[in-house]
Amino acid sequence: DTAVSQTPKYLVTQMGNDKSIKCEQNLGHDTMYWYKQDSKKFLKIMFSYNNKELIINETVPNRFSPKSPDKAHLNLHINSLELGDSAVYFCASSQEAGYYGYTFGSGTRLTVV
Amino acid sequence: SQQGEEDPQALSIQEGENATMNCSYKTSINNLQWYRQNSGRGLVHLILIRSNEREKHSGRLRVTLDTSKKSSSLLITASRAADTASYFCATDAATRKLVFGAGTILRVKS
């Protein structure tokens, strides 16, 4: 049983397209996150949701829009994709943000051409 | 900006040797965590140490935390080829998010 699953694993798309990445966790965690890892392996938080409520929205272009239909799911929609959006996007979840470790998904490698 | 700075950036050792990675951070924290990332994979949580703890062990891992110096170290004893990965420290500063360091690439040669 995969604890945090993301789909798709790979995504190759052209500039200007709109794409979505889906994430689901079966751990019963309250909080879910999106992180972006760039080509130099830097990990930066993008968004965080707690029980479907947005609690962290870092300085991310508004072309990125997260959606959490329930506390087990957190999707990321990206409009008008740009070359600089190419990265690996990780979904993660935790119980009681700030007190426990995170469980990460395996990542979605997005390549914009 | 990144909260944590890790040192060294890369480390290459022989199987059986110990590996030590260091992490320094800038602000007060609730806890500090270490993660491992194998190539092309997600991050795996290794250990969490709270700000009122000084040392923690988990199997072959030993983590220390010095809040006065704002630094932590991860020691992997008796390393194995399977320990080859990138290791990241991450800090929680009561901001409800983890902020990651740049990582240390560890290569264990067999």
Side-chain angles (χ1 to χ4, degrees):
Chain A
D1 281 345
T2 304
V4 179
S5 59
Q6 290 179 234
T7 55
K9 191 169 174 63
Y10 300 97
L11 191 49
V12 180
T13 188
Q14 291 190 323
M15 274 196 305
N17 283 351
D18 302 340
K19 290 294 177 186
S20 291
I21 307 171
K22 296 188 174 183
C23 179
E24 175 181 2
Q25 54 97 1
N26 62 5
L27 298 166
H29 287 169
D30 293 328
T31 309
M32 296 184 72
Y33 312 83
W34 280 111
Y35 275 80
K36 178 181 180 180
Q37 186 173 45
D38 64 21
S39 58
K40 295 184 179 175
K41 303 294 186 187
F42 286 123
L43 274 151
K44 193 163 162 44
I45 190 165
M46 301 173 70
F47 301 104
S48 168
Y49 271 76
N50 181 267
N51 278 323
K52 302 193 297 176
E53 180 188 345
L54 180 66
I55 56 172
I56 290 174
N57 183 350
E58 293 289 287
T59 49
V60 176
N62 57 15
R63 297 182 295 103
F64 290 79
S65 53
K67 279 194 175 53
S68 182
D70 55 60
K71 77 171 196 176
H73 295 85
L74 179 60
N75 304 322
L76 183 64
H77 188 75
I78 315 169
N79 289 328
S80 304
L81 278 154
E82 300 177 358
L83 292 177
D85 297 331
S86 295
V88 182
Y89 292 84
F90 286 99
C91 177
S93 71
S94 72
Q95 184 64 8
E96 206 171 339
Y99 293 92
Y100 297 95
Y102 289 15
T103 302
F104 279 81
S106 56
T108 295
R109 182 174 292 276
L110 172 65
T111 305
V112 183
V113 297
Chain B
S1 63
Q2 300 296 112
Q3 158 79 311
E5 297 286 338
E6 281 158 87
D7 164 53
Q9 287 187 318
L11 181 59
S12 184
I13 59 174
Q14 290 293 134
E15 211 167 20
E17 292 180 340
N18 295 343
T20 299
M21 288 160 265
N22 302 298
C23 170
S24 59
Y25 57 92
K26 296 172 187 166
T27 65
S28 296
I29 60 171
N30 272 355
N31 65 67
L32 185 145
Q33 303 178 29
W34 286 90
Y35 288 79
R36 182 187 74 231
Q37 184 179 32
N38 291 88
S39 181
R41 308 291 291 273
L43 285 85
V44 174
H45 178 252
L46 296 176
I47 200 162
L48 180 154
I49 186 164
R50 302 196 190 283
S51 60
N52 61 354
E53 296 175 312
R54 292 296 166 256
E55 189 171 310
K56 209 158 181 182
H57 297 255
S58 176
R60 293 183 296 113
L61 306 180
R62 174 180 166 250
V63 168
T64 61
L65 179 64
D66 186 334
T67 53
S68 66
K69 295 181 179 176
K70 291 189 169 58
S71 68
S72 175
S73 68
L74 170 67
L75 168 67
I76 304 174
T77 60
S79 62
R80 305 166 182 168
D83 294 328
T84 294
S86 292
Y87 291 81
F88 294 88
C89 71
T91 52
D92 183 304
T95 55
R96 307 180 80 177
K97 65 183 181 186
L98 279 185
V99 178
F100 284 82
T104 293
I105 300 170
L106 172 65
R107 182 179 168 219
V108 181
K109 295 176 282 188
S110 55

